[in-house]
Amino acid sequence: MSLTHNSFLHSESVICIADVGKLRMHFYSQKDCWVYLICGSVALMAYKCFFFATWIFYAVLNDFCTDVAVALQQPIERISFEMVFRSLYFFHRALLKNPQLLLIPWLVEYQRSMGLVKAVRRRHRRNFGHLP
């Protein structure tokens, strides 16, 4: 990879910290170097914020699903995380009409219409007599 002034100014790639020393000799001024490093660190910070926000959201959703599983007396494996997530929209709409609602009791009350509990499926059985 060649380090030229124009290639770094016009590319959208983020550089490695180890390449900072190499950049020093390829930029015409320190001002250009600091502008590029600040933009690169902002992109990295945005990625970290996205990562941690996703992780926190999943932790909160997992906590909601655990509370629903306890309230319904079901194992956590039978609770659909996707349907709990989708039902948050409907809870928000109901909350606008009645601000006294609580999330977990509302989810328990409407668990059947929201499809929160996964159906029990029969195990797939192999019928060896009909195999080609």
Side-chain angles (χ1 to χ4, degrees):
M1 175 175 141
S2 64
L3 298 175
T4 62
H5 177 67
N6 291 335
S7 67
F8 274 104
L9 286 179
H10 299 295
S11 70
E12 296 179 0
S13 62
V14 178
I15 62 168
C16 178
I17 297 299
D19 292 337
V20 173
K22 296 176 188 175
L23 286 177
R24 172 171 51 85
M25 61 186 134
H26 291 285
F27 282 92
Y28 295 123
S29 68
Q30 288 182 346
K31 177 184 166 190
D32 292 337
C33 184
W34 283 110
V35 167
Y36 183 76
L37 289 176
I38 288 171
C39 291
S41 66
V42 169
L44 182 62
M45 184 57 79
Y47 178 75
K48 286 181 180 178
C49 288
F50 174 74
F51 175 76
F52 285 119
T54 304
W55 183 75
I56 290 170
F57 175 75
Y58 182 75
V60 171
L61 184 62
N62 190 13
D63 192 39
F64 285 155
C65 291
T66 303
D67 291 344
V68 169
V70 168
L72 293 174
Q73 298 176 350
Q74 296 286 337
I76 189 70
E77 295 83 21
R78 298 253 343 256
I79 303 299
S80 171
F81 278 54
E82 294 83 5
M83 297 310 288
V84 170
F85 171 67
R86 289 184 68 190
S87 65
L88 293 178
Y89 167 78
F90 297 104
F91 174 74
H92 172 70
R93 299 293 294 173
L95 191 63
L96 292 175
K97 294 179 182 177
N98 182 5
Q100 306 300 325
L101 289 176
L102 297 174
L103 177 62
I104 302 303
W106 188 85
L107 287 175
V108 169
E109 181 180 350
Y110 293 103
Q111 59 91 15
R112 187 173 301 272
S113 61
M114 295 293 162
L116 301 183
V117 179
K118 295 177 186 175
V120 178
R121 296 181 179 206
R122 289 189 231 166
R123 297 202 183 266
H124 297 285
R125 296 180 186 167
R126 291 186 178 182
N127 188 352
F128 293 107
H130 298 287
L131 288 178

